[in-house]
Amino acid sequence: MNFWKNHTSLRAVLITVFFVIGMILTIAGWKMTGKLAGLGIMLVGIIFLLVALFVYNAMYK
């Protein structure tokens, strides 16, 4: 289970992927002003950004 914590390149790829997907979803949801689906998309994007932050901080536990 700690495989990704010990490999720097894998961790960097995971952080990058989660960050890019999170930003794309957040911006796409932000463009849908006044629609409830836009809020949902933004929340999913924020979750992806928080997962990227979790992966980054997991090494320092």
Side-chain angles (χ1 to χ4, degrees), residues 35-56:
K35 297 181 183 175
L36 191 58
L39 176 63
I41 292 171
M42 284 176 60
L43 289 175
V44 171
I46 296 297
I47 290 170
F48 271 99
L49 291 172
L50 288 174
V51 169
L53 187 61
F54 172 77
V55 171
Y56 175 78

Side-chain angles (χ1 to χ4, degrees), residues 2 5 8 11-12 16-18 25 28-29 31-33 38 45-46 48 50 52 55-56 58:
N2 292 330
K5 289 182 184 179
T8 307
R11 213 172 49 247
T16 303
V17 167
F18 285 132
L25 288 175
K31 289 182 180 180
M32 299 174 68
T33 303
I46 296 297
F48 271 99
L50 288 174
V55 171
Y56 175 78

